[in-house]
Amino acid sequence: MKHVTVIVSQWQTNLSAIVGIHEVFSKANHHWKSKGKREPLKVEFARVGSAKQVSFSDGLFMVKPERHISAIMKTDLIIIPSISPRFKTNDKDNKFLLQWINDQFENGAEVASICSGAFLLASTGLLDGKRCSTHWGLADEFKARFPKVNLERDRLITDESGIYTNGGAYSFLNLLIYLVEKFYDRATAIHCAKVLQVEIERMSQSPFSIFNGQKSHGDDVVEKAQNYIESKITEKISTADLATKFSLGRRNFDRRFIRATGNTPLAYTQRVKIEAAKRLFENSRKNINEVMYSVGYSDTKAFREVFRKITGMSPIDYRSKYNKAIASI
């Protein structure tokens, strides 16, 4: 039997992930035993720090972990639920936790982070040079704090060298189903997905992301360029025109823009236009061509390709899924 350790600390922000972990693995174990097999995983909730219980929702809920992580000498899988990105790495308890995770990983344990739990995982250094996902709303902050990590902001689940990460909020259920398939089998994963009504094998969080341009970079010229792009949704804007408008050489403008926003000027412009298109699909009765023209595209094929690349869905599928008025017809 393998051992799973779920970290519970005062920095936890989401009770649902802790409950969800318990529910998913309990369902998996029950299904496994119903087939006459010995359950493969034992899940234990371990606390960090001296507090013997952790409160959530202003004290409405309390979690009482079974024991302190210092009492766990060997584990096979560590799960880090979502935490506040503001947690202090130099805090005594957290320093111990980061070292404990590193030691366990060196001894063969695998590690999974849920949503903003990636901030704690990245603080161990184990994600340096590896792929990682986190909540799309925290992507810019994560990228700024952990430049050595290969953040894949649209990816729902990453799996590399015994380290798993996932996107935001309730998508942790997709990661848990993924782990059930890894540690149990495909049939058990499908069973859990059906019982809990989780869409299996969803690998992108693109349809759920809301693009908000990164503007806390401190480069005034780039911010002016961003504002200009956002004010000209209906127009075609080239990188060369932007560079000229802001009195910079093309290569210098490109470098500054990428350094400040994490996107090329072209990619930024595409994301701004597609975000506007998404809002039109959600809130108006405009057809595909009308939306396309409204955001400055005249080539249907190009619009569809860019839309799918950014959202993971075709324009017509997105419109059908998110526009209540259209879906009810």
Side-chain angles (χ1 to χ4, degrees), residues 14-265:
N14 193 340
L15 175 65
S16 61
I18 294 173
V19 175
I21 292 167
H22 179 269
E23 284 294 311
V24 171
F25 285 116
S26 292
K27 291 283 190 301
N29 275 340
H30 183 269
H31 179 73
W32 196 262
K33 288 193 292 185
S34 72
K35 301 297 182 182
K37 302 176 183 179
R38 182 169 177 262
E39 57 188 44
L41 292 184
K42 171 180 170 54
V43 181
E44 184 172 32
F45 294 82
R47 71 179 187 274
V48 178
S50 58
K52 293 189 177 181
Q53 58 186 23
V54 179
S55 67
F56 292 85
S57 302
D58 297 322
L60 183 61
F61 304 105
M62 304 296 294
V63 175
K64 299 178 180 179
E66 290 125 299
R67 55 178 175 161
H68 194 273
I69 58 166
S70 61
I72 299 174
M73 299 294 106
K74 179 73 170 69
T75 192
D76 299 290
L77 174 64
I78 301 165
I79 301 180
I80 306 169
S82 55
I83 66 164
S84 167
R86 306 293 184 276
F87 81 99
K88 300 174 182 177
T89 55
N90 60 354
D91 177 88
K92 179 182 176 181
D93 292 328
N94 288 333
K95 286 173 70 175
F96 179 86
L97 172 60
L98 295 176
Q99 187 58 55
W100 181 84
I101 293 172
N102 268 296
D103 291 343
Q104 292 294 331
F105 184 75
E106 286 184 10
N107 289 330
E110 297 186 296
V111 188
S113 68
I114 289 171
C115 190
S116 55
F119 281 76
L120 192 151
L121 179 54
S123 296
T124 65
L126 293 176
L127 281 175
D128 289 357
K130 295 184 178 67
R131 297 180 298 117
C132 171
S133 181
T134 189
H135 194 293
W136 56 262
L138 298 170
D140 290 331
E141 181 179 354
F142 185 92
K143 195 171 182 66
R145 286 180 57 180
F146 304 104
K148 294 181 181 179
V149 180
N150 300 325
L151 179 65
E152 296 187 354
R153 65 176 66 219
D154 294 326
R155 192 78 175 166
L156 190 70
I157 296 171
T158 66
D159 175 351
E160 185 175 356
S161 305
I163 297 178
Y164 312 92
T165 67
N166 94 287
Y170 288 85
S171 70
F172 73 83
L173 289 168
N174 296 95
L175 174 64
L176 296 179
I177 297 298
Y178 185 83
L179 293 175
V180 167
E181 183 169 354
K182 283 266 184 178
F183 286 88
Y184 294 76
D185 58 19
R186 175 74 173 176
T188 305
I190 291 173
H191 172 79
C192 291
K194 287 182 175 180
V195 170
L196 298 169
Q197 299 191 38
V198 179
E199 184 181 352
I200 198 167
E201 291 185 340
R202 183 167 70 85
M203 297 303 289
S204 173
Q205 60 178 339
S206 298
F208 301 95
S209 65
I210 301 172
F211 182 67
N212 294 307
Q214 185 348 22
K215 293 182 180 177
S216 59
H217 44 69
D219 190 321
D220 291 340
V221 172
V222 172
E223 185 171 350
K224 287 177 181 177
Q226 290 174 271
N227 291 334
Y228 181 80
I229 291 169
E230 292 163 12
S231 70
K232 303 292 182 180
I233 295 292
T234 62
E235 300 180 16
K236 292 183 178 180
I237 304 172
S238 72
T239 302
D241 290 342
L242 283 170
T244 299
K245 180 175 179 61
F246 293 100
S247 304
L248 290 172
R250 168 68 183 271
R251 293 180 66 184
N252 185 28
F253 179 73
D254 273 349
R255 283 196 297 268
R256 284 179 65 170
F257 201 97
I258 293 169
R259 184 169 61 246
T261 70
N263 291 283
T264 65

